[in-house]
């Protein structure tokens, strides 16, 4: 069983739509959850982190965490072509020392 | 200064060469990490340094040798690499080891082993 699972996509949405990215994890002791955006040929860029159950909003981005269901999601409102990238879900293990990544979801926003 | 820097950006080396990758941060972070990323795959953790001490080694072959000379610097020494070691090598740092704080990545070194 993979530790962090994401739909590999690709996910295609029209400009202005809401993009919904999902992630599940296996380690029930995990406490820290992150979403990174990675453009082709570039390094991962942190866009959201969440530690508590519920929603966390930052501009057009909303992260949602449900520890009981071991589920993390990222919503991108008013999607723009510049949001086209691979989105990596990352989960810090229960020991808070090692971070594991999902395989990433490739998002394409079409003008 | 809120960034992690890595040098060189690109490196081409033969299987008999010895080279080093360098990473630097001046954010006062006390945890630093090396990751390896192959094309179309997520980053894979290699090493973790907490307070300048190696705390995690993810069963990485000995041809990769990490070093943390001080709290701002992290090196990765390379020797006798194989072509399959060609990848993007990413350095990251986080503020407090063991607290689950967010990690910030450098731009990476793209390594090609001939």
């Amino acid at each position: 069983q993979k530790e962090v699972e994401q739909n590999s996509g690709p996910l295609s949405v029209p400009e202005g739509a809401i993009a919904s990215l999902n992630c599940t994890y296996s380690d029930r002791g995990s406490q820290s959850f992150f979403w990174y955006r990675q453009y082709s040929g570039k390094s991962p860029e942190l866009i959201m982190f969440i530690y508590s159950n519920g929603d966390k909003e930052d501009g057009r981005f909303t992260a949602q965490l449900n520890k009981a269901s071991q589920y993390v999601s990222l919503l991108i409102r008013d999607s723009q072509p510049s949001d086209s990238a691979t989105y990596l879900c990352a989960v810090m293990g229960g020991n808070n020392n090692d971070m594991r990544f999902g395989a990433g979801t490739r998002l394409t926003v079409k003008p | 200064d809120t960034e992690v820097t890595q040098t060189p950006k690109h490196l081409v080396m033969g299987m008999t060469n010895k080279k080093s990758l360098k990473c630097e941060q001046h954010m006062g972070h006390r945890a630093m990490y090396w990751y390896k990323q192959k094309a179309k795959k997520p980053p894979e953790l290699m090493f973790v340094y907490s307070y300048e001490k190696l705390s995690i080694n993810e069963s990485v072959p000995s041809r990769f040798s990490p070093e943390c000379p001080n709290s701002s610097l992290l090196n990765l020494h390379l020797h006798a690499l194989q072509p399959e070691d060609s990848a993007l090598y990413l350095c990251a740092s986080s503020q407090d080891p063991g607290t689950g704080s967010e990690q910030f990545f450098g731009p990476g070194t793209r390594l090609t082993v001939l």
Side-chain angles (χ1 to χ4, degrees), chain B residues 63-112:
Chain B
R63 58 185 184 268
F64 295 92
S65 175
E67 178 196 18
C68 189
N70 59 55
S71 60
S72 300
L73 281 175
L74 186 65
N75 298 320
L76 186 62
H77 303 297
L78 314 173
H79 174 55
L81 294 193
Q82 304 297 309
E84 59 265 29
D85 296 322
S86 298
L88 180 67
Y89 287 84
L90 295 161
C91 175
S93 70
S94 66
Q95 188 167 13
D96 293 309
T99 63
S101 56
E102 58 271 30
Q103 295 182 21
F104 298 94
F105 285 84
T109 293
R110 189 160 298 281
L111 173 68
T112 302

Side-chain angles (χ1 to χ4, degrees), chain A residues 7-63:
Chain A
N7 291 332
S8 60
L11 175 65
S12 181
V13 300
E15 184 174 356
I18 295 175
S20 178
L21 305 163
N22 305 315
C23 173
T24 58
Y25 60 94
S26 60
D27 182 353
R28 281 198 171 272
S30 300
Q31 298 293 329
S32 305
F33 308 88
F34 309 91
W35 284 99
Y36 286 85
R37 176 175 63 197
Q38 188 170 27
Y39 293 112
S40 181
K42 301 295 186 182
S43 64
E45 174 193 6
L46 180 69
I47 53 172
M48 290 288 287
F49 60 89
I50 187 166
Y51 302 135
S52 303
N53 277 329
D55 295 358
K56 179 181 178 183
E57 187 174 321
D58 184 1
R60 296 187 295 112
F61 299 97
T62 299

